[in-house]
Amino acid sequence: MENIWTKINEDIPLYMEGICEKYKLACIKISPLKTALVGEKYALIIAIDRFEATVSYLCKDGKETKLYSCDNFFAEKYDADDRVNLLGGEGAENMVRNNIIIIANGLANKWKNVLEGETDWIENYKKSKWFSVQKMLPEEIEKIEQYI
């Protein structure tokens, strides 16, 4: 059953097209409300909620798969340069779409090292007030693990 939120998730590849091309990432829908940008050794998970979109970082830590809720950690570096080409108007749909635009711009402008597959930033993230490990559903992990 398609609704505004699942439609936004369907559109994530359009918002992330430049990043995926430049960094050779596969854009894979892993659930009705989550899409993964998958590289060789990591994935960025874009999740849609009622009033926002979030980004998490998935990687292997030995044999264990870790999902870091790094949205706020990344967002601390976003600035006016990342808040461009936003949609006008009110409403939850525009809020979420604008959030995705800011994430795409912010990743491209401030987090190139993450997109390139570097992991040095994780130590700083683990020391930050934003550090959090999330859980993913086994079927979501299964869809991603065939790529990383």
Side-chain angles (χ1 to χ4, degrees):
M1 177 180 193
E2 186 168 273
N3 59 39
I4 289 172
W5 318 122
T6 57
K7 176 65 176 129
I8 292 170
N9 192 48
E10 293 287 333
D11 292 344
I12 287 176
L14 301 172
Y15 292 105
M16 301 296 165
E17 185 176 25
I19 287 173
C20 289
E21 284 179 14
K22 183 172 182 174
Y23 296 98
K24 297 176 178 41
L25 304 175
C27 198
I28 299 155
K29 184 172 129 178
I30 58 172
S31 79
L33 298 175
K34 292 180 184 174
T35 295
L37 309 179
V38 185
E40 284 184 31
K41 298 183 181 193
Y42 75 95
L44 292 170
I45 312 298
I46 310 294
I48 306 301
D49 197 1
R50 289 196 179 271
F51 299 105
E52 67 180 354
T54 60
V55 59
S56 300
Y57 182 87
L58 181 118
C59 63
K60 294 276 192 178
D61 188 2
K63 291 186 179 190
E64 191 177 357
T65 301
K66 297 276 186 166
L67 181 66
Y68 298 120
S69 177
C70 53
D71 188 61
N72 289 322
F73 181 75
F74 287 170
E76 281 187 322
K77 291 202 178 193
Y78 301 164
D79 60 22
D81 293 337
D82 306 313
R83 292 173 179 84
V84 295
N85 302 318
L86 300 178
L87 304 173
E90 299 292 317
E93 180 178 2
N94 279 358
M95 287 173 61
V96 174
R97 289 185 182 277
N98 283 336
N99 204 207
I100 294 168
I101 292 168
I102 294 166
I103 289 169
N105 291 337
L107 289 171
N109 295 335
K110 308 299 187 302
W111 294 102
K112 292 175 186 173
N113 60 329
V114 174
L115 297 171
E116 290 168 348
E118 293 179 22
T119 57
D120 296 347
W121 65 274
I122 294 174
E123 286 308 311
N124 288 332
Y125 169 66
K126 287 180 176 180
K127 295 174 189 171
S128 78
K129 66 183 177 184
W130 303 115
F131 178 70
S132 173
V133 179
Q134 297 177 307
K135 299 266 186 213
M136 281 186 75
L137 297 173
E139 57 268 23
E140 294 172 342
I141 293 172
E142 191 175 304
K143 288 180 181 179
I144 295 170
E145 281 187 332
Q146 60 187 306
Y147 296 92
I148 58 173

